[in-house]
Amino acid sequence: MTQLVRVQNLTVSADGYAAGEEQSLERPFGHADPGELMAWALGTASMPGMSRPDGSRGLDDRLVRDFGNGIGAEIMGRNKFAPHRGPWTDHAWQGWWGEDPPFHTPVFVMTHHERPSFTLADTTFHFVSGTPAEVLALAFEAAGGRDVRLGGGAQTVRAFLDADLVDQLHVAVSPVVLGGGSRLWGSPAELEDRFHHEEVPSPSGLAVHHLFWRRVSPA
C-alpha cells in the first residue's frame, strides 16, 4: 500500500498564522494564546495528551481522534520541538510534552544542528538535517509501511507543500487574528490547484475545518 504524508489538526488563525511572534520557553506559541487559537480541539474528549471524559464527542472530536490512526512516524520542525536557536547548548531539554509525549512513534525533528536521539516512553526523537525529500525517506522507512504525519509548524508544512510532498491536509481555521508570526498561507485557495478542497464549519463555532487531498498522485 502507498504510504501517505498527512497534516492533521494543524490550527491557524483567520489570517493564516499557526503561531505568533516571539516564541519562548514559557510561550511556545509566541504572542498567540493557544487556549484561544485551539479552543475547538481543547474542548474535545479525545485531544491527544489532554483527553477529557466530559469533552465534546462531535465532529471536532472525530478529527482529533484521527491523530494517530495509521501513523508510523512524525516529522516536525525544530521550532515545534524547542524555542532554542542555533547550536544546542542544553541537551537536557526534551520538549514541551513531559515524560509521555503524545506521538507514540519515531519523530524526526528537522534542524541544521543535529544532536543525539533520545526516547521518552514510546516516542523516540531523532534530530536530522536534509531536504524535505531526504527527511521523508527516513520517516517512511521508520514508519514500517504506515503513513507519516507532518506535524508542523507552518514553515515546515509549507516547505513540504512547496516540494509537492503532501498528500492530505486537515487545517482548522480559528476566528482569532494574530497579525504576525509563522504563516501557513494567505488563503486556503492557494492550494486548490493541487488539492481537492472542502470546508466544514465546526458545530462548536470555534473553527472552520479545511480538508484537502491531492488531485494527482506524484510520479
Side-chain angles (χ1 to χ4, degrees):
M1 294 180 65
T2 301
Q3 291 176 279
L4 301 178
V5 179
R6 293 156 49 188
V7 176
Q8 295 175 262
N9 305 329
L10 179 66
T11 302
V12 303
S13 63
D15 50 349
Y17 296 95
E21 299 171 328
E22 300 181 359
Q23 183 192 44
S24 68
L25 183 64
E26 295 75 21
R27 298 187 66 86
F29 285 78
H31 78 280
D33 178 353
E36 185 179 18
L37 183 67
M38 300 183 62
W40 73 271
L42 296 174
T44 64
S46 307
M47 178 69 176
M50 303 176 65
S51 60
R52 296 175 42 192
D54 61 340
S56 69
R57 293 281 184 180
L59 172 64
D60 294 343
D61 187 65
R62 175 62 184 84
L63 289 167
V64 299
R65 279 192 285 116
D66 201 38
F67 178 77
N69 287 344
I71 296 295
E74 166 149 342
I75 297 169
M76 67 172 64
R78 177 168 172 170
N79 292 358
K80 180 176 175 179
F81 178 81
H84 310 98
R85 305 294 185 265
W88 298 97
T89 59
D90 180 11
H91 285 191
W93 171 258
Q94 296 185 320
W96 277 291
W97 304 281
E99 294 298 316
D100 188 14
F103 309 109
H104 309 299
T105 66
V107 173
F108 293 84
V109 181
M110 295 182 68
T111 174
H112 296 298
H113 302 278
E114 297 182 15
R115 58 177 273 188
S117 301
F118 65 85
T119 299
L120 294 171
D122 57 355
T123 297
T124 298
F125 291 92
H126 304 283
F127 300 84
V128 296
S129 60
T131 66
E134 290 168 342
V135 175
L136 180 58
L138 296 174
F140 272 152
E141 182 177 4
R146 291 174 291 173
D147 294 342
V148 170
R149 181 175 53 239
L150 184 56
Q155 293 178 356
T156 298
V157 172
R158 195 74 223 193
F160 277 75
L161 285 169
D162 291 345
D164 201 25
L165 294 174
V166 179
D167 298 296
Q168 297 178 1
L169 301 88
H170 163 224
V171 180
V173 176
S174 164
V176 174
V177 175
L178 294 180
S182 181
R183 198 173 202 182
L184 177 68
W185 58 35
S187 164
E190 294 173 13
L191 305 184
E192 290 180 349
D193 61 331
R194 288 179 287 157
F195 294 89
H196 300 284
H197 174 208
E198 290 189 4
E199 297 181 32
V200 184
S202 165
S204 68
L206 298 173
V208 175
H209 299 293
H210 291 258
L211 307 174
F212 300 86
W213 61 102
R214 182 189 286 278
R215 290 182 180 274
V216 179
S217 297

